[in-house]
């Protein structure tokens, strides 16, 4: 499989390493200094760029009928536009706030726990996410996905960042610490006890492997998909 890496920072380099081990070719490496390029030379593109460039990267791929996998967060106000265009053009697109296989299992555990805790009003929910200092967006896309999973399965209706929450809101605390790939914690606290689920990434390799697996799965398909589809979690 011929892969274009749209974004060639630390994640792009981690994806390259695993892709080569799995027998794929990297035919394009695009970063902020790259001049115009021909996206049609690849079989699929993997986007880990920036919130400012992700939308145009994805648009370029769909317009040129190149399947694309994107893990860039911070651009999702335009997600519905991409979905509409992808379906209209019979394109292929997967977005995930986190491609780690472990995190996607964590998402499922989070929703299941939220269902069980729904009626236990004495517990207060909070989410904490910790990432490296170069992560541009707050909160992380993973934290937002966790909050949305709780909202879907509880009486909460909103999340708030780094401030006190009302009873119907989920507070998210975002921390930036040097060299932390990603740690996410969901807590249910009461006066009696605390229930906690936590995912800690030890490196970027888990995210990279998940992105490659998603790309391998997406080839020869059309439509807009999620990691639930890739891992058959629906």
């Amino acid at each position: 499989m011929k892969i274009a890496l749209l974004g060639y920072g630390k994640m792009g380099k981690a994806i390259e390493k695993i892709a080569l081990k799995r027998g794929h070719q990297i035919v394009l490496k695009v970063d902020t200094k790259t001049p115009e390029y021909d996206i049609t030379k690849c079989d699929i593109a993997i986007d880990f760029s920036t919130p400012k460039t992700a939308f145009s990267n994805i648009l370029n791929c769909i317009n040129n009928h190149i399947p694309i996998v994107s893990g860039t967060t911070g651009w999702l106000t335009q997600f519905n536009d991409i979905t509409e265009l992808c379906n209209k053009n019979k394109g292929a697109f997967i977005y995930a706030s986190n491609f780690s296989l472990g995190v996607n299992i964590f998402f499922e555990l989070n929703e299941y726990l939220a269902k069980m805790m729904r009626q236990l009003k004495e517990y207060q929910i909070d989410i904490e996410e910790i990432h490296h200092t170069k992560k541009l967006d707050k909160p992380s896309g993973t934290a937002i996905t966790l909050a949305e999973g709780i909202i879907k399965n509880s009486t909460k209706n909103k999340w708030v960042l780094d401030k006190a929450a009302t009873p119907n809101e989920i507070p998210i605390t975002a921390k930036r610490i040097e060299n932390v790939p990603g740690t996410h914690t969901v807590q249910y606290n009461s006066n009696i006890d605390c229930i906690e689920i936590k995912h800690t990434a030890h490196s970027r390799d888990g995210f990279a492997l998940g992105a490659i697996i998603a790309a391998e799965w997406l080839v020869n398909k059309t439509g807009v998909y999620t990691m639930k589809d890739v891992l058959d979690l629906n």
Side-chain angles (χ1 to χ4, degrees), residues 178-191:
E178 194 70 32
N179 297 323
V180 176
T183 300
H184 294 84
T185 306
V186 179
Q187 283 191 342
Y188 290 80
N189 285 290
S190 76
N191 292 330

Side-chain angles (χ1 to χ4, degrees), residues 6 37 51-61 63 78 82:
L6 306 182
Y37 57 90
K52 289 183 178 179
T53 58
F55 179 77
S56 60
N57 287 341
I58 297 164
L59 199 65
N60 185 31
C61 288
N63 283 335
Q78 297 168 295
I82 288 294

Side-chain angles (χ1 to χ4, degrees), residues 8-26:
Y8 193 60
K10 290 181 179 179
M11 265 304 301
K13 291 178 174 66
I15 291 168
E16 178 182 32
K17 180 179 69 175
I18 291 176
L20 293 175
K21 284 182 180 179
R22 293 173 74 91
H24 303 303
Q25 293 178 265
I26 306 300

Side-chain angles (χ1 to χ4, degrees), residues 111-128:
E111 292 197 19
Y112 187 67
L113 180 58
K115 289 176 187 176
M116 290 194 294
M117 301 298 292
R118 182 184 176 94
Q119 302 303 323
L120 302 179
K121 306 301 183 187
E122 60 269 32
Y123 285 89
Q124 302 299 313
I125 309 171
D126 66 78
I127 297 172
E128 179 187 80

Side-chain angles (χ1 to χ4, degrees), residues 37-178:
Y37 57 90
D38 181 8
I39 196 65
T40 62
K41 66 171 67 174
C42 70
D43 299 316
I44 195 162
I46 300 178
D47 171 76
F48 277 85
S49 55
T50 69
K52 289 183 178 179
T53 58
F55 179 77
S56 60
N57 287 341
I58 297 164
L59 199 65
N60 185 31
C61 288
I62 292 174
N63 283 335
N64 284 284
H65 305 287
I66 301 298
I68 178 163
V69 169
S70 177
T72 306
T73 57
W75 64 274
L76 293 182
T77 54
Q78 297 168 295
F79 183 80
N80 289 340
D81 295 333
I82 288 294
T83 298
E84 184 178 339
L85 180 66
C86 186
N87 290 329
K88 180 181 177 182
N89 287 9
K90 293 183 169 42
F93 174 54
I94 292 176
Y95 166 77
S97 60
N98 195 312
F99 280 96
S100 162
L101 307 184
V103 164
N104 280 277
I105 299 300
F106 188 59
F107 288 153
E108 296 298 305
L109 291 173
N110 174 61
E111 292 197 19
Y112 187 67
L113 180 58
K115 289 176 187 176
M116 290 194 294
M117 301 298 292
R118 182 184 176 94
Q119 302 303 323
L120 302 179
K121 306 301 183 187
E122 60 269 32
Y123 285 89
Q124 302 299 313
I125 309 171
D126 66 78
I127 297 172
E128 179 187 80
E129 60 102 334
I130 308 172
H131 281 88
H132 51 89
T133 52
K134 292 183 180 179
K135 184 167 179 60
L136 299 178
D137 53 315
K138 285 187 179 183
S140 67
T142 302
I144 293 172
T145 301
L146 290 167
E148 289 173 345
I150 294 168
I151 290 167
K152 186 168 69 175
N153 294 284
S154 73
T155 58
K156 306 294 184 181
N157 57 28
K158 185 181 178 183
W159 59 264
V160 294
L161 175 63
D162 291 334
K163 66 178 184 179
T166 68
N168 291 326
E169 296 174 335
I170 303 167
I172 300 177
T173 303
K175 297 179 180 179
R176 296 293 175 261
I177 300 173
E178 194 70 32

